[in-house]
Amino acid sequence: MTEADVVILGGGPGGYAAAIRCAQLGRSVVLIDEAAVGGTCLHRGCIPTKALLHAAEVADSARTAAQFGITASFDGVDVTKLHGFKNTVVSRLHKGLTGLIAALGITVISGRGRLTGPTTVEVDGTTISGGVIILATGSAPKVPGMIQTSDRVLTSDQALELDRIPSSAIILGGGVIGVEFASLWTSLGAKVTIVEALPRLVPNEDTAISAYLERLFRRRKITAKTGALVTGVTSDDDAVHVTLESGDVLSADVLLVAVGRGPRTADLGLTEAGVQLDRGFVVTDDKLRTSVPTVYAIGDIVAGLQLAHRAFQQGLFVAEQIAGRDPEAVAELGIPRVTYCDPEIASVGLTEGAAREQYGDGVETVTYDLAGNGRSQILKASGAVKLVVDPAGTVVGVHMIGAGVSELIGEAQLLYNLGVKAAEAARFVHAHPTQNEALGEALMAVSGAPLHLHG
Ligand code: NAI
């Protein structure tokens, strides 16, 4: 029997962050994963998709070079090289991560683990015992019962490895994965139609952001069918056919199913060991302890935002508790959210709607259009920064859309998480010319002292 202070099931961003911090704090750690450490984020999620999205941006730059006075042309995509670029980024990061894990003396066990008691996990017939167990098994794409995946009907896992650029694609779900793939495939030459059940794209974002995105996607000739329900999916040798409740039938080369991700908690022995689940998610208290006192849960298996950086933070939070510290709990609304479609979306805190529900009519908002920002003009970035301020003048929401706005989320999340008053932040200097000035202008405007803002 192997023994360690901490046994971690799942080596994604949650599990490996917990492993690293536990080891740094002097605990012996066993990290178990049936696949490569790094999890969805490194191998099938954040990193490979963003690598492809960067390549898509290069394609768009080539296509639009003439408007900057540069002679270039977009002549096509070498899919083998495209995947080669993506895989090189992934394998370098994977090598760095495994090196770090080894240097810290963390024992990695390759195999599928199963909880067999409050302090024991079994992997391929071997029992591993720990003082504490951390569950971090992540999530997997959800596929509605009426849909069968195939070489034309893909989840994001298969879409990332597709050996061709589809000539056309239907994307089921206009959430984060849906709009990122819509953007990617459009840039690489596909004709894309998004089918979203709710009345707007990115329905978790502020309504103004959805409206901007829909307008800017229309400009890119991406079709969005919102408020649309699918009643059937069939495939033949030539295409996949998607029937909508309205009777319309859409046909395309491929269908991407992007209707959310479900927690990977089945067949792990959790219920048998007394770990309480709710609709597949592990139930935890505010310290991320499960119903079994020696078992913690972190990341996508805990209901809430399914984001790698939330998992990192939860991993650190749990590791520090195990080491006897008293870290501060993670505030869900203070976690920055970034979607890497073109235009990018970045937000933190409350939407205007949620702020009005919480604070009433005294809520103020300002929307600063990137048309007034010099750097955005140079980059030809359309979009806006929207600030939501509570009746006391405190920033309670920041919502941004436009090429490059992902890089503005650092300041935005500090404003929100530190509970800064807009008027206080407005006196700080934003370097010129940066897109960051748009945030500065919005802060000045909402404090009643706009500079570059009409009327
Ligand atoms: P999501 O929850 O963001 O979006 C799913 C969308 O599908 C929703 O808008 C929903 O209304 C719609 N939908 C559900 N059932 C449908 C149906 N039958 N027909 C039509 N529409 C339907 O989930 P998504 O995009 O699959 O992403 C999964 C998770 O991964 C999310 O939590 C997301 O935050 C995370 N992720 C984060 C990224 C980032 O931070 N940049 C990138 C990719 C994923």
Side-chain angles (χ1 to χ4, degrees):
M1 185 164 81
T2 309
E3 276 186 355
D5 295 330
V6 185
V7 176
I8 302 172
L9 205 50
Y16 83 67
I20 288 172
R21 184 64 95 238
C22 284
Q24 288 167 338
L25 295 173
R27 300 300 186 272
S28 58
V29 182
V30 169
L31 180 63
I32 303 162
D33 202 307
E34 59 188 333
V37 290
T40 299
C41 164
L42 180 52
H43 300 283
R44 295 174 303 283
C46 320
I47 298 297
T49 49
K50 276 41 161 193
L52 294 181
L53 279 158
H54 177 65
E57 208 179 310
V58 174
D60 285 332
S61 295
R63 240 186 227 111
T64 58
Q67 62 180 318
F68 301 98
I70 302 297
T71 308
S73 60
F74 171 73
D75 298 330
V77 182
D78 180 332
V79 179
T80 307
K81 281 195 180 159
L82 178 69
H83 284 306
F85 158 63
K86 174 199 73 177
N87 294 342
T88 303
V89 174
V90 170
S91 62
R92 283 207 183 126
L93 290 170
H94 181 243
K95 200 166 161 221
L97 178 62
T98 48
L100 180 62
I101 286 172
L104 285 163
I106 296 163
T107 304
V108 177
I109 296 182
S110 182
R112 188 172 167 75
R114 214 184 128 77
L115 199 63
T116 47
T119 55
T120 52
V121 170
E122 193 188 284
V123 186
D124 297 331
T126 304
T127 294
I128 299 138
S129 146
V132 172
I133 310 241
I134 303 176
L135 305 172
T137 47
S139 62
K142 285 198 281 198
V143 179
M146 70 159 121
I147 298 177
Q148 292 284 320
T149 55
S150 67
D151 55 358
R152 283 197 189 282
V153 180
L154 319 168
T155 67
S156 58
D157 289 355
Q158 291 100 43
L160 268 174
E161 299 304 328
L162 200 62
D163 59 2
R164 66 186 198 285
I165 306 304
S167 54
S168 55
I170 299 165
I171 298 182
L172 193 57
V176 184
I177 294 181
V179 299
E180 286 191 349
F181 269 94
S183 192
L184 169 69
W185 279 340
T186 299
S187 297
L188 298 181
K191 178 80 200 84
V192 174
T193 303
I194 305 172
V195 177
E196 164 60 48
L198 292 175
R200 57 190 177 97
L201 294 183
V202 288
N204 292 329
E205 297 291 342
D206 190 279
T207 49
I209 297 298
S210 297
Y212 264 99
L213 180 69
E214 286 168 12
R215 195 160 72 238
L216 294 171
F217 264 14
R218 261 197 307 278
R219 238 192 248 172
R220 297 188 61 196
K221 312 258 183 297
I222 296 171
T223 306
K225 292 194 175 291
T226 51
L229 291 176
V230 171
T231 54
V233 173
T234 57
S235 296
D236 55 35
D237 288 347
D238 302 320
V240 54
H241 310 282
V242 175
T243 308
L244 304 184
E245 202 179 40
S246 62
D248 287 358
V249 180
L250 310 171
S251 298
D253 185 3
V254 297
L255 168 68
L256 170 68
V257 182
V259 296
R261 297 178 61 88
R264 294 209 302 186
T265 51
D267 306 323
L268 291 174
L270 301 188
T271 315
E272 298 87 324
V275 173
Q276 196 190 336
L277 301 182
D278 178 14
R279 281 161 288 180
F281 290 97
V282 179
V283 176
T284 65
D285 63 11
D286 60 356
K287 302 278 184 204
L288 296 172
R289 277 180 307 227
T290 71
S291 49
V292 176
T294 48
V295 180
Y296 288 84
I298 58 176
D300 286 4
I301 57 171
V302 180
L305 291 170
Q306 293 174 319
L307 297 173
H309 43 284
R310 170 181 180 258
F312 287 138
Q313 205 182 353
Q314 290 185 335
L316 303 180
F317 175 69
V318 164
E320 290 182 10
Q321 286 182 70
I322 292 168
R325 298 183 175 181
D326 187 20
E328 269 206 42
V330 178
E332 198 81 1
L333 268 173
I335 297 172
R337 310 171 290 261
V338 178
T339 306
Y340 293 83
C341 47
D342 174 17
E344 289 180 345
I345 298 169
S347 62
V348 66
L350 297 168
T351 61
E352 179 180 349
R356 290 202 184 283
E357 264 176 41
Q358 192 164 327
Y359 298 106
D361 288 342
V363 165
E364 289 209 39
T365 69
V366 143
T367 302
Y368 186 80
D369 200 290
L370 294 184
N373 176 264
R375 182 85 178 138
S376 300
Q377 285 302 297
I378 293 164
L379 299 173
K380 293 200 177 285
S382 301
V385 170
K386 175 173 175 177
L387 277 185
V388 183
V389 170
D390 75 5
T394 306
V395 177
V396 293
V398 183
H399 306 276
M400 304 181 282
I401 183 163
V405 299
S406 59
E407 299 300 335
L408 310 186
I409 198 65
E411 178 177 350
Q413 65 124 352
L414 286 183
L415 292 174
Y416 176 80
N417 285 306
L418 296 176
V420 175
K421 293 235 187 317
E424 238 174 85
R427 71 186 176 86
F428 289 106
V429 177
H430 292 81
H432 176 77
T434 60
Q435 287 187 293
N436 204 220
E437 285 176 286
L439 190 49
E441 292 277 356
L443 286 165
M444 286 194 272
V446 84
S447 319
L451 180 60
H452 298 93
L453 190 67
H454 294 280

